[in-house]
Amino acid sequence: MTDTQTNGSKTRPVPADFADNGFFGRDVLSVKQFDRKKLDHICQVADEMRSMVERFGSADLLQGKVLANLFYEPSTRTSSSFAAAMMRLGGKVISINEVRYSSVSKGESLPDTVRTLESYADVVVLRHPEVGAAAKAAHYARKPLINAGDGVGEHPTQALLDFYTIRRELGQVDGLNVAMVGDLKYGRTVHSLTRLLLNYDTSFTFVSPDILRMPAEIIEEVKAAGHSFRETDDVHSVIGEVDVLYVTRVQKERFEDLADYEAVKGCYVITPELMQKAKQKMIIMHPLPRVGEISYAVDDDPRAAYFRQVENGMYIRMALLAAVLGKA
Ligand code: CP
């Protein structure tokens, strides 16, 4: 190691032979940090991680490193895939998934909690219900902090794995028509994925009930970037034109008025009958969990990519952990 040098937003020891990969020592807070070159790099490393896992199961790339997984909201995939990613690379994990059993329940602030955990760890992964919480925590943290979802704001690592899935399944991203269906207002996964795809020549079809339309701020970003898009509440009228059907859950927990939720829950259900109208070469995605938006009968359709998408999440998170820790 050389002496400590400033690298991006954090001050970290830099290896003597280190060529900056654009990630080392940095926080991952928003998809706005990614351009085509960085996306290519992270997908390439994810492919290498896949090959390594298929051949050997694990490696010692991050041996001696510790990840602190701090989740103030429920999670199955993001939490466990970050843990699996770290373990497959030889590192160890501290998990706080039930903040009510931690000192958060005694009133400890987010900055103090993050500063405590980073005293034990090399990288912190944070999920929090408030928009901007990851950026706030990163301001106090000396170690890299990865946003695992901040309320209705962003979910950048989900967008990375979604992007990786589209590229892997369809071989390209330019020229695709991507339809996003369901809760576009509160769905942080569709907010992040839309922004990430602005790096590519994609067109968008936003399908939602009126009260769950894509936020104006994101529509403005789509317009400013010169992408074509349409908004509709009718999935039947667009299913035959799309290359990616990205379905989301209507999130009961985000509604202030439960009557609004009751009015739109179950508004879209993807069934084998609907899929008969879709292209042969297209994919159905979902960040999961699903609560009825995709019928279980669709799971056997080869176009149903959502469990392959889940697996891709581990390889992308392996690539990201290796990158921020200076090993990719
Ligand atoms: N897709 C996703 O974020 O799933 P979890 O909420 O289970 O982490």
Side-chain angles (χ1 to χ4, degrees):
M1 293 283 179
T2 62
D3 290 341
T4 297
Q5 300 172 16
T6 298
N7 182 60
S9 58
K10 308 273 159 159
T11 299
R12 308 282 302 129
V14 178
D17 59 350
F18 183 72
D20 190 1
N21 58 22
F23 298 95
F24 176 61
R26 292 187 168 89
D27 305 310
V28 178
L29 303 177
S30 166
V31 289
K32 291 179 181 172
Q33 294 169 247
F34 292 85
D35 58 18
R36 288 176 81 123
K37 191 172 163 214
K38 284 184 179 162
L39 288 166
D40 278 346
H41 175 73
I42 213 79
C43 289
Q44 211 173 330
V45 178
D47 281 340
E48 287 167 20
M49 294 299 180
R50 179 191 302 275
S51 300
M52 184 281 287
V53 169
E54 284 170 1
R55 292 183 66 196
F56 307 113
S58 63
D60 60 4
L61 196 66
L62 297 184
Q63 194 171 20
K65 300 290 184 190
V66 175
L67 158 71
N69 239 352
L70 175 59
F71 280 67
Y72 287 71
E73 279 189 332
S75 169
T76 296
R77 278 145 291 274
T78 313
S79 166
S80 55
S81 63
F82 265 115
M86 195 62 177
M87 290 190 279
R88 291 222 184 241
L89 290 172
K92 297 229 170 4
V93 183
I94 301 168
S95 288
I96 301 196
N97 290 334
E98 287 275 4
V99 288
R100 67 195 148 123
Y101 295 128
S102 74
S103 287
V104 171
S105 65
K106 301 173 199 162
E108 188 161 42
S109 68
L110 177 62
D112 282 2
T113 304
V114 167
R115 287 167 87 167
T116 300
L117 285 173
E118 71 166 1
S119 304
Y120 314 134
D122 301 284
V123 55
V124 177
V125 170
L126 172 70
R127 172 171 288 183
H128 197 278
E130 284 169 26
V131 176
K136 177 180 165 189
H139 177 74
Y140 291 95
R142 290 172 297 115
K143 308 276 175 68
L145 186 139
I146 301 176
N147 181 3
D150 59 334
V152 301
E154 280 222 38
H155 194 346
T157 67
Q158 177 72 44
L160 291 175
L161 77 89
D162 293 340
F163 170 80
Y164 179 58
T165 300
I166 294 170
R167 184 169 132 143
R168 202 177 147 75
E169 294 275 333
L170 297 174
Q172 61 177 38
V173 180
D174 283 319
L176 298 181
N177 180 359
V178 178
M180 302 191 183
V181 180
D183 181 355
L184 308 187
K185 178 178 179 184
Y186 300 115
R188 59 192 172 201
T189 64
V190 288
H191 301 166
S192 286
L193 182 59
T194 301
R195 287 182 163 134
L196 197 68
L197 290 176
L198 295 180
N199 286 292
Y200 290 81
D201 179 22
T202 48
S203 57
F204 298 98
T205 305
F206 299 127
V207 186
S208 71
D210 198 46
I211 63 166
L212 295 179
R213 284 169 71 172
M214 189 62 94
E217 179 193 349
I218 294 177
I219 294 289
E220 287 309 314
E221 289 178 33
V222 171
K223 280 184 193 167
H227 290 246
S228 69
F229 72 97
R230 64 185 281 201
E231 293 183 275
T232 176
D233 61 3
D234 180 14
V235 72
H236 293 262
S237 66
V238 298
I239 184 76
E241 300 160 17
V242 306
D243 302 297
V244 175
L245 187 72
Y246 192 101
V247 185
T248 63
R249 174 175 68 94
V250 176
Q251 302 172 88
K252 185 177 182 182
E253 67 273 24
R254 305 279 183 218
F255 284 77
E256 283 174 15
D257 184 345
L258 270 186
D260 286 343
Y261 169 74
E262 292 296 332
V264 292
K265 73 172 186 189
C267 51
Y268 302 110
V269 181
I270 310 303
T271 61
E273 293 69 38
L274 181 68
M275 289 308 298
Q276 283 178 7
K277 295 190 197 170
K279 292 181 184 178
Q280 276 310 303
K281 187 177 178 191
M282 59 82 72
I283 52 171
I284 316 162
M285 298 175 68
H286 194 307
L288 302 178
R290 64 175 155 179
V291 289
E293 317 73 58
I294 301 178
S295 148
Y296 288 110
V298 174
D299 293 0
D300 293 332
D301 188 318
R303 296 169 291 185
Y306 28 93
F307 287 108
R308 299 191 288 276
Q309 187 183 351
V310 166
E311 184 181 340
N312 291 339
M314 184 177 75
Y315 304 128
I316 279 289
R317 286 167 176 139
M318 289 172 80
L320 213 48
L321 288 174
V324 298
L325 293 171
K327 297 287 186 179

